[in-house]
Amino acid sequence: MSDPDDQIGRRRPPAEADLVAGSSGSQRSTAEQPKPHPAHQTNVAAHGAGRDVAIALLIGLAAGLLGLAPWLITGARLPLQNLWGTQVMPAQMPLALLPLNQYESTTLVALMVTGGASAGFAVRCWSPARRLLATWCAAVAVAAVQVASAAQAFTVLAGGLAPGQLSSLYLAGMLAGVAAAIAAGLVSLLLLAARSMALAALGVGLAAVPLASWLAAGVSAVAGIGNFPALLAMALRWLPAVLVGAALAWCGLRPKIRALVWLVDLGLLWVVPAIFSAVRSMLGTRVLAGDLQGMAALGKQVFTSALGPAGGAGPALVLALVIAVIGTVVREQNRKNQPRTGHPPT
């Protein structure tokens, strides 16, 4: 006599039998599937990291050259020097990748800071998975462009200056100024590329005034001396305030610690133009050339005056604050009107 279970098994419909067989087969095939090899995963990660490094380096190189663009499009002839060893015409000056001259001190800051800030902004827009690695690679590339340009320009300058203590002092002062400008550009890069909105807003506050100077230098190089459009000059005057106000509105006041960002950015908008005015006055005077004490006293006087009501910083601060407050109110209102996640709007 046959077993009833065997008869049931023999009478099982073909479709059901195929289903059971397929299920067991799929279990066997799943178990038999090879797991990804660790070496393969490592190669994929290394390939992704290498791609990020390459893109970041390209961003840094392009940003460094972009920062130098207003000077390069002029022909990059070293400006005339008061301490030059021989009498030459402007067209006879050697080529230099930086405008090393006491009268171009604020332009040097604008070139360096804008180069670093543009690289930081590009990394922020890109937002790679390996953000820290990409940020530092971009910083290295920007620094390489700026340091190489400075090395070439200072070699040319040192070779043409007349011998003497005053020339050595002038060369050392220019070198210190360029080094500080490169450092400021790298700080702007790191702030703008950071994940934190508060740090990025600080980066905007640091780069706003130099960016306006960079644009002014570029327009002057293209339009020529005396052909600067008056309307554009007015727009560039208010551009830093607009940038700072927009950055603060984007940053917001939540959490409340971000109020410090507002204070710092508004302080930068107030102080940086005063510093630029003081430096231009201190280094641009011919009467006090070589008189360090007199130059320092003039710079202090101009700086103090620029911080006061006569400096014209008040309207810019008011404009930035109005933009920031209105933008923050609008963002908060939009946030309140948005439905909560997971709950349908009522």
Side-chain angles (χ1 to χ4, degrees):
M1 176 180 283
S2 63
D3 192 0
D5 291 339
D6 292 340
Q7 295 177 0
I8 294 175
R10 284 193 295 268
R11 291 195 299 269
R12 180 176 295 164
E16 183 179 352
D18 293 341
L19 181 61
V20 173
S23 174
S24 60
S26 63
Q27 293 177 357
R28 287 195 303 270
S29 62
T30 303
E32 293 173 359
Q33 284 181 357
K35 296 181 179 180
H37 197 276
H40 175 70
Q41 295 178 339
T42 303
N43 291 335
V44 172
H47 176 72
R51 181 191 59 188
D52 288 352
V53 168
I55 295 175
L57 291 175
L58 289 176
I59 287 175
L61 293 174
L65 293 175
L66 178 64
L68 300 178
W71 168 243
L72 297 179
I73 62 180
T74 64
R77 292 282 178 183
L78 186 70
L80 289 175
Q81 306 289 326
N82 295 336
L83 300 175
W84 201 245
T86 58
Q87 294 291 333
V88 295
M89 298 297 292
Q92 296 175 319
M93 293 295 288
L95 295 176
L97 296 179
L98 288 181
L100 298 180
N101 190 285
Q102 70 269 28
Y103 307 121
E104 299 288 345
S105 54
T106 56
T107 301
L108 286 168
V109 175
L111 299 181
M112 303 294 104
V113 172
T114 302
S118 58
F121 181 73
V123 171
R124 184 169 196 85
C125 293
W126 173 28
S127 188
R130 302 167 182 83
R131 194 189 197 100
L132 184 61
L133 175 63
T135 298
W136 283 106
C137 288
V140 168
V142 170
V145 172
Q146 295 181 347
V147 170
S149 301
Q152 187 273 340
F154 275 102
T155 300
V156 171
L157 180 63
L161 290 177
Q165 183 179 3
L166 193 57
S167 294
S168 300
L169 183 63
Y170 170 71
L171 195 64
M174 291 300 302
L175 182 59
V178 170
I182 292 175
L186 294 178
V187 171
S188 298
L189 188 157
L190 297 177
L191 290 175
L192 285 168
R195 293 183 184 275
S196 169
M197 296 173 64
L199 293 179
L202 288 175
V204 173
L206 182 61
V209 175
L211 176 61
S213 297
W214 181 85
L215 291 173
V219 173
S220 298
V222 173
I225 299 176
N227 296 324
F228 201 102
L231 185 61
L232 184 57
M234 182 180 298
L236 291 179
R237 178 192 173 191
W238 297 106
L239 178 62
V242 174
L243 291 176
V244 169
L248 293 179
W250 171 70
C251 175
L253 283 169
R254 292 178 180 271
K256 293 181 179 180
I257 191 66
R258 292 189 179 181
L260 293 177
V261 177
W262 285 51
L263 292 176
V264 173
D265 269 7
L266 293 174
L268 289 171
L269 185 61
W270 180 33
V271 172
V272 173
I275 294 176
F276 273 36
S277 298
V279 170
R280 280 193 294 262
S281 300
M282 181 176 62
L283 299 181
T285 176
R286 293 178 179 270
V287 177
L288 299 175
D291 183 2
L292 299 183
Q293 291 184 350
M295 294 170 65
L298 176 62
K300 181 180 179 180
Q301 179 183 355
V302 173
F303 177 73
T304 304
S305 176
L307 290 179
L317 291 173
V318 171
L319 176 61
L321 190 58
V322 167
I323 294 174
V325 170
I326 293 177
T328 301
V329 171
V330 171
R331 288 184 70 244
E332 287 296 315
Q333 191 65 33
N334 291 336
R335 185 183 63 84
K336 292 179 180 179
N337 292 336
Q338 288 178 353
R340 295 182 180 180
T341 304
H343 297 277
T346 56

